[in-house]
Amino acid sequence: MPLKFELGPGRMIGGSNPCFIIAEIGQNHQGDFEIAKKMIKMAKDCGADCAKFQKSELEYKFNKRALERPYNSKHSWGKTYGDHKRHLEFSHEQYRELQKYAKEVGIFFTASGMDEMAVEFLDDLDVPFFKVASCDANNFPCLELTAKKGRPMVISSGMQSIATMRRVYQTVKEHNQNFTILQCTSAYPLDPEDVNLRVIAEYQKEFPDIPIGYSGHERGISITVAAVAMGAKVVERHVTLDKSWKGNDHEASLEPSELTELVRAIRLVERAQGTGIKQMLPCEKACHDKLGKSVVAKVAIPKGTVLSMDMLGVKVGEPKGVSPEDMGQLVGKAVTEDVEEDGSITPHMVDGYNNKG
């Protein structure tokens, strides 16, 4: 069985535990602190397990030229990329306030640490787990630093190869047993042809001792629900209050009604997955009693006759007789009473029949 561990206090993932649902707020809050709080409450109200942000210490994530380059996109919040990113970045104190609010609301709160200094801050903030974004999955110095902190980890794998992910697994495993890898394709929005859900099964084979999950950027909820049916133990989806807002992520995000429906559909699929043991269930008894077939006599069979296969047929009979699957056990055995043509052959009519129930 896949490894199970506590991703947040009192919340286990893996095995038969419910899928852990991360509402990725990211920077869809538009740099507005009050909108950020509304989105935390929305994530809780919709049934998500965790509200997640993205934390950067910009001078550690970007070099000087990257911050100074002009940014003329329709999604821009400033004349340069640095101005744009500064508009969207909350302060340490604001993060502490958001964390406090999430605790009041009753939802886990964390963030992707987008650079080493952000990881240090999030560790100081005492987040329940670290999220490693796809862009840092192959950033091995930061990955090792994060793993050594000892907190559970959720690692997205967009833009990476299986060879890189094997190295990710080995690097993290050396320092930290409690982590999960998410299949992810880094495109916004993501076309169904590029989702590649079969990677979930490949990860399950490659890394059988950790839970595997899915981070989706597609439109709608169907593909994420399918990921859960394939065994994803953690799912992450971007969320928004309005898809028409400025920002690259909104189009690939779920509005509240969609997030609510995603949570409902995931919980429904989990109920439907069952135990994997195939047997007739109590709920099937009524159908079996009405339509289940049994062995009947093709001809009249006098008492004492030794049964042969040509005497036997299968029909919906009244009363219920021997099950068709046990028909071969009747051959060569004698009936202990007369059986009329088309009559049911019941277990007590056959001498030496071993009724399996």
Side-chain angles (χ1 to χ4, degrees):
M1 289 295 291
L3 179 69
K4 298 180 285 186
F5 65 87
E6 193 176 57
L7 189 58
R11 181 60 159 88
M12 299 291 293
I13 66 162
S16 61
N17 293 289
C19 178
F20 190 88
I21 301 170
I22 300 172
E24 163 70 291
I25 295 170
Q27 296 188 326
N28 281 354
H29 46 69
Q30 312 288 278
D32 187 310
F33 186 74
E34 292 304 316
I35 289 177
K37 291 176 67 175
K38 287 179 182 177
M39 295 186 76
I40 291 172
K41 182 66 162 57
M42 178 268 283
K44 171 63 177 179
D45 290 345
C46 293
D49 294 290
C50 179
K52 190 186 81 66
F53 290 76
Q54 295 173 6
K55 184 71 186 88
S56 300
E57 303 294 342
L58 297 179
E59 286 70 26
Y60 290 88
K61 180 180 178 181
F62 301 99
N63 71 7
K64 186 176 180 180
R65 289 185 64 180
L67 291 173
E68 290 177 350
R69 71 177 171 87
Y71 192 51
N72 301 316
S73 165
K74 65 179 180 179
H75 300 302
S76 174
W77 293 96
K79 291 183 179 181
T80 67
Y81 197 63
D83 291 338
H84 166 76
K85 297 301 288 186
R86 277 186 280 271
H87 173 83
L88 294 170
E89 197 65 47
F90 290 137
S91 69
H92 289 190
E93 187 54 39
Q94 286 175 313
Y95 261 87
R96 292 187 179 93
E97 290 184 44
L98 290 174
Q99 182 188 51
K100 180 181 177 182
Y101 180 72
K103 186 175 182 180
E104 292 171 359
V105 168
I107 189 170
F108 289 115
F109 173 89
T110 194
S112 299
M114 309 300 285
D115 55 79
E116 292 185 6
M117 291 306 295
V119 171
E120 296 288 357
F121 166 67
L122 293 173
D123 189 44
D124 183 63
L125 197 64
D126 197 25
V127 294
F129 65 91
F130 290 120
K131 171 67 198 300
V132 178
S134 291
C135 59
D136 278 311
N138 64 349
N139 181 357
F140 287 97
C142 189
L143 198 64
E144 188 170 3
L145 168 75
T146 306
K148 287 180 176 179
K149 297 294 184 184
R151 298 182 188 275
M153 296 170 64
V154 176
I155 305 167
S156 281
S157 61
M159 304 178 285
Q160 311 303 330
S161 68
I162 187 62
T164 298
M165 295 314 298
R166 290 187 187 113
R167 186 178 167 193
V168 168
Y169 170 85
Q170 292 164 357
T171 299
V172 175
K173 194 76 172 177
E174 183 179 350
H175 306 287
N176 193 332
Q177 301 298 305
N178 297 331
F179 66 102
T180 174
I181 291 174
L182 312 186
Q183 161 55 3
C184 178
T185 303
S186 298
Y188 306 81
L190 174 61
D191 291 332
E193 293 79 8
D194 294 323
V195 170
N196 210 356
L197 283 181
R198 287 195 175 99
V199 173
I200 293 173
E202 290 304 307
Y203 281 169
Q204 288 166 338
K205 288 189 291 186
E206 284 277 349
F207 316 123
D209 59 346
I210 64 170
I212 300 302
Y214 174 70
S215 177
H217 304 126
E218 73 278 0
R219 297 179 178 91
I221 69 169
S222 299
I223 289 170
T224 302
V225 175
V228 175
M230 293 178 70
K233 300 303 182 182
V234 175
V235 296
E236 176 186 68
R237 288 297 304 271
H238 286 257
V239 297
T240 183
L241 296 180
D242 188 336
K243 291 183 184 182
S244 69
W245 280 355
K246 184 190 295 188
N248 291 308
D249 289 348
H250 293 285
E251 192 176 352
S253 299
L254 302 178
E255 291 182 339
S257 61
E258 293 174 300
L259 179 59
T260 298
E261 179 58 19
L262 175 65
V263 174
R264 188 203 68 81
I266 286 173
R267 300 307 178 217
L268 184 65
V269 165
E270 288 175 332
R271 287 171 55 200
Q273 286 178 317
T275 63
I277 300 169
K278 184 57 184 171
Q279 59 185 343
M280 191 172 79
L281 298 175
C283 65
E284 297 178 288
K285 186 176 185 304
C287 184
H288 179 263
D289 290 348
K290 182 179 180 181
L291 298 176
K293 294 186 176 181
S294 53
V295 179
V296 298
K298 282 186 177 178
V299 295
I301 305 174
K303 177 180 178 180
T305 301
V306 175
L307 295 172
S308 59
M309 192 63 77
D310 60 356
M311 300 176 186
L312 307 176
V314 176
K315 292 184 177 181
V316 176
E318 183 61 39
K320 190 73 67 181
V322 171
S323 173
E325 65 194 81
D326 295 335
M327 202 167 167
Q329 292 187 33
L330 302 178
V331 175
K333 296 181 174 64
V335 292
T336 58
E337 58 186 85
D338 293 337
V339 184
E340 63 182 3
E341 181 181 349
D342 205 41
S344 298
I345 296 180
T346 59
H348 75 272
M349 293 178 173
V350 182
D351 186 35
Y353 170 67
N354 178 26
N355 180 16
K356 295 191 296 182

